[in-house]
Amino acid sequence: MSSPVVIILAAGRGERFLASGATTHKLDARLGTQSVLSHVIRAAEASGLGWHIVRPEGGTQGMGESISLGVCATAHASGWLILPADLPLIQPATLQRVAEGLSDKPLVVPHYAQQQGHPVGFSRAYQAQLRALSGEAGAREIVQRARQRGEVRDLALADYGIVHDIDTLSDLQWAQTLINKSN
């Protein structure tokens, strides 16, 4: 069977970023020498997992639709790691750890310092439910129901990148500060 695929959700409008004074879409904003989106794609590539980006012309009706489009486009996968494209500090090893976690439980939720993060990993058992998503609602209800059935593995990670998204110019500046410190 194939490996899980990283679904990079890049269809959002980025309205909060623009409202914070930005002049470009947050995924196109420069973080060092690359765009925010390029950082996420590079992490997916470096993880060794397959990946698929959801960025249709004109966007989607919301996260639910984006997840559904990504799962439909990669129906062959053994599972999916749902990764918003505004997490440029995510580490490739994190993607690998979440994928490996799917061998223990059919759903994996990563955490950093008791904060739930991304990517959330779903095994193939959730394909029909993920494909049925639409509109703004993401997969939160699927996770809640799975948790009630004891099907969720909570995975503590030391990767701040799973919770630090880029929603405002100050988020982008903070991410740049962190990158500068690590270089």
Side-chain angles (χ1 to χ4, degrees), residues 10 14 19 32 129 132:
Q129 292 174 62

Side-chain angles (χ1 to χ4, degrees), residues 2-183:
S2 65
S3 297
V5 172
V6 180
I7 302 293
I8 301 171
L9 304 178
R13 292 183 290 277
E15 292 169 342
R16 283 187 288 173
F17 189 72
L18 293 170
S20 75
T23 58
T24 185
H25 191 282
K26 67 181 178 178
L27 299 182
D28 299 324
R30 303 310 288 176
L31 186 56
T33 60
Q34 307 173 57
S35 70
V36 168
L37 179 59
S38 293
H39 280 274
V40 175
I41 291 170
R42 288 187 122 187
E45 289 173 342
S47 76
L49 298 168
W51 59 276
H52 177 81
I53 190 163
V54 178
R55 194 175 196 182
E57 195 68 37
T60 65
Q61 295 299 312
M63 185 177 284
E65 182 183 354
S66 292
I67 293 170
S68 177
L69 288 170
V71 170
C72 287
T74 58
H76 63 280
S78 65
W80 301 271
L81 277 58
I82 307 301
L83 180 61
D86 63 353
L87 292 165
L89 303 178
I90 191 96
Q91 299 298 307
T94 293
L95 301 174
Q96 294 166 343
R97 295 266 321 270
V98 172
E100 290 164 3
L102 289 172
S103 63
D104 295 334
K105 294 274 188 169
L107 205 153
V108 177
V109 178
H111 296 268
Y112 173 82
Q114 282 96 37
Q115 289 183 326
Q116 183 174 317
H118 286 92
V120 175
F122 294 88
S123 74
R124 190 169 181 79
Y126 291 98
Q127 183 177 29
Q129 292 174 62
L130 294 170
R131 288 175 70 134
L133 292 172
S134 62
E136 291 291 330
R140 186 174 311 223
E141 285 185 26
I142 295 171
V143 174
Q144 289 171 345
R145 287 191 303 268
R147 191 173 293 288
Q148 291 169 349
R149 292 189 303 269
E151 296 176 353
V152 176
R153 176 176 182 198
D154 289 299
L155 182 63
L157 297 169
D159 181 357
Y160 178 70
I162 72 172
V163 295
H164 185 77
D165 57 351
I166 306 298
D167 284 330
T168 65
L169 276 174
S170 62
D171 293 335
L172 184 69
Q173 292 161 353
W174 179 247
Q176 186 63 61
T177 300
L178 293 174
I179 287 173
N180 292 346
K181 283 182 183 179
S182 68
N183 290 338

